[in-house]
Amino acid sequence: MSIFGSIMSKIFGGGSASAQAAAPHASETPSVSAAAQGQDGPTGSAGSAAAPSMSGAPSPVAAGPAATAQADVDVGQVLADLTAKKGQELDYKRSIVDLLKLLDLDSSLQARKQLADELHYTGDKDDSATMNVWLHKQVVQKLAENGGRVPEDLKHA
């Protein structure tokens, strides 16, 4: 799973198909579609119905109840709850490193460069301070675009 896919999964709820489908370059999406086809099963007509999802159209799974549940996720509350459980002070509202640590994800420079690639960062990845600010802003924006309710104090101006 992509790093952004892991972020989505941690915030929106473990491993839902819609969280994986929303992640850029999520390798799970094609295998979900292939599994939905039921190649050797008795449901030959159902396999034909699943074929459009292979062409880039939204998967019926992504439009189902899991996608609806995403829209109800209060990102601020999820992160506040995780902070309370962690018991350590993290500046996740401004720092991509602390946000990744809060989610128990790899916050190394290499991982952040990979996240920058996933989110199509075009700046200098050796300027980690600038990249980190951009990453945090993009992650928060993508969480909102994928149905999360993001509080104003988490958004950047």
Side-chain angles (χ1 to χ4, degrees), residues 21 29 33 49-64 67:
T29 302
S33 298
S53 65
M54 296 292 285
S55 66
S59 160
V61 174

Side-chain angles (χ1 to χ4, degrees), residues 5 14 17 37 44-45 50 62 79 82 90 107 116 119-120 122 124 128-129 146:
Q37 287 183 6
S45 61
L79 296 176
L82 287 171
L90 294 170
S107 63
L119 299 178
H120 309 291
T122 58
D124 181 6
S128 64
N146 283 287

